[in-house]
Amino acid sequence: MNEIESLLPGYNCGSCGYRQCRDFAGVLQKASDLDKCPFLTHDKFRVNVEKLLLLLGEELAKDEKIIGIIDGLEADLTLAPLKDECSCREDIHPFDGSVEVNIGDILRYRPLGCPVTHFARVIDKIPGGIYTVHMVGPLHRLGHDDFRFKDVGLCMILAFDGRVARGRIPKVGQTVKFVPEYCMMQKVHSGMVVGVEGKNVRIEAIDLKVW
């Protein structure tokens, strides 16, 4: 417990639900408990988070392999949604830019290199025809009269924003292999890490070809 307490920020802010970091250290049992401390998401505590994850799940970090189901490849990490979000954030770029897209729209599209049709809700627009989305499918929803979507066809997947749920936290500049938790095929993706804050990471240059 003393080792865990020494790795916590020590601000005694109470955001975790406990009066002091010492009390919080006494109840930490699993890696997901670290999400209760808002300061551990700051980059200055990244090394502390890595050490805490080893203390709380050393066998997982060392021994448990993450294997993609459809391709049987080994991944470095599993990517989960950011806190209180329904899926990882994805930046997508439709090849067909003729469809008018607004925030809140549901898009139907197929990621380049993936055989599965996806549905996603637009949560932000980026200049250049890029959209940040939350995945809401593939789902069998086409028989519902109230389900409306815009078909944008084939899309390039540019980036993922998510939280490391399994595996080691990567470093900026590292090329990683990862599996998005909600991927129906549980296929290994690859990309370069361009941002790390605690367990939250941004991965760009996404590719479904893993050599």
Side-chain angles (χ1 to χ4, degrees):
M1 175 177 155
N2 289 339
E3 188 173 1
I4 290 177
E5 182 185 349
S6 70
L7 294 170
L8 294 175
Y11 297 150
N12 300 324
C13 67
S15 296
C16 63
Y18 297 89
R19 293 183 61 185
Q20 297 184 1
C21 292
R22 176 180 300 175
D23 300 327
F24 184 42
V27 299
L28 278 175
Q29 295 183 346
K30 54 186 184 298
S32 61
D33 291 338
L34 298 177
D35 293 340
K36 298 176 182 177
C37 176
F39 296 102
L40 289 178
T41 64
H42 297 179
D43 193 55
K44 66 181 291 187
F45 293 112
R46 181 177 61 82
V47 174
N48 292 39
V49 169
E50 292 176 353
K51 292 178 179 178
L52 285 165
L53 288 173
L54 287 174
L55 288 172
L56 296 171
E58 186 171 358
E59 293 306 314
L60 173 65
K62 285 185 175 181
D63 300 325
E64 185 177 358
K65 292 185 177 181
I66 302 168
I67 305 295
I69 292 176
I70 196 168
D71 45 28
L73 298 174
E74 185 174 350
D76 301 303
L77 57 97
T78 297
L79 202 63
L82 299 172
K83 186 177 181 182
D84 298 327
E85 298 196 4
C86 62
S87 78
C88 295
R89 296 185 175 207
E90 293 187 33
D91 289 348
I92 68 172
H93 176 61
F95 286 93
D96 180 3
S98 65
V99 180
E100 182 179 350
V101 176
N102 300 301
I103 293 176
D105 285 346
I106 300 292
L107 304 183
R108 181 171 75 173
Y109 64 96
R110 184 173 68 81
L112 182 65
C114 179
V116 178
T117 298
H118 288 55
F119 292 90
R121 178 176 288 105
V122 179
I123 60 174
D124 197 10
K125 297 174 66 173
I126 302 171
I130 299 170
Y131 306 101
T132 302
V133 301
H134 275 149
M135 201 64 50
V136 296
L139 294 174
H140 301 294
R141 304 171 70 172
L142 298 183
H144 298 275
D145 293 337
D146 60 346
F147 181 54
R148 298 287 183 267
F149 61 87
K150 295 180 178 179
D151 198 334
V152 295
L154 194 63
C155 287
M156 181 80 74
I157 308 304
L158 303 178
F160 278 79
D161 285 282
R163 176 177 53 84
V164 177
R166 296 169 57 201
R168 294 185 183 276
I169 297 175
K171 296 180 180 179
V172 171
Q174 182 180 354
T175 299
V176 294
K177 294 177 288 186
F178 67 99
V179 178
E181 274 192 344
Y182 54 85
C183 176
M184 187 178 75
M185 298 193 302
Q186 286 295 281
K187 184 169 187 349
V188 177
H189 299 49
S190 67
M192 175 171 284
V193 179
V194 298
V196 178
E197 289 189 10
K199 292 191 290 182
N200 297 341
V201 299
R202 179 173 173 83
I203 305 173
E204 295 182 353
I206 305 302
D207 200 339
L208 290 179
K209 298 188 298 297
V210 180
W211 306 103

